[in-house]
Amino acid sequence: ACARRYTWRRRKMGLEAIRYDASAGRLQILNQLLLPSKSEYEEVACVEDAWKAIKEMKVRGAPAIAIVGALSVAVELRRVDPPTPVPPPDTTAALKEFVATCFDRLKSAR
């Protein structure tokens, strides 16, 4: 019998479905509804933006939906003027409740 060796190569894709800049707290998604004719990124500035993108199927696939959801909470926590008041970081219980509320909202999109 002949043993074959397979070499797996990482290919750099031309498009990224999700762009996240942690230092700037910036999240963008590739609008899946416009593919393949157009490549357009949309800003996700809060949990509500992520909810809308998931609901409208601009984000597709379970892994991408989960990543966008989680990163939208991170973006919301970094905002100076969030639509929903973020509790001070020293109140762990309030922060836990805030994050749980965010995830409950995101879950309702599907």
Side-chain angles (χ1 to χ4, degrees), residues 39-59:
S39 299
E40 184 177 293
Y41 287 89
E42 293 189 13
E43 192 80 20
V44 176
C46 61
V47 169
E48 197 60 30
D49 288 351
W51 181 89
K52 188 174 180 181
I54 294 165
K55 187 75 171 173
E56 295 174 358
M57 305 257 322
K58 292 178 181 178
V59 177

Side-chain angles (χ1 to χ4, degrees), residues 54-105:
I54 294 165
K55 187 75 171 173
E56 295 174 358
M57 305 257 322
K58 292 178 181 178
V59 177
R60 295 185 190 170
I65 290 170
I67 292 167
V68 168
L71 290 177
S72 72
V73 174
V75 168
E76 182 114 10
L77 287 169
R78 288 185 52 111
R79 286 185 62 170
V80 176
D81 60 341
T84 307
V86 178
D90 59 336
T91 57
T92 307
L95 183 60
K96 181 179 175 183
E97 182 179 335
F98 174 79
V99 171
T101 301
C102 289
F103 284 128
D104 285 343
R105 175 68 177 147

Side-chain angles (χ1 to χ4, degrees), residues 6-12:
Y6 294 95
T7 305
W8 296 95
R9 295 183 186 146
R10 291 183 91 172
R11 295 181 199 170
K12 185 169 183 176

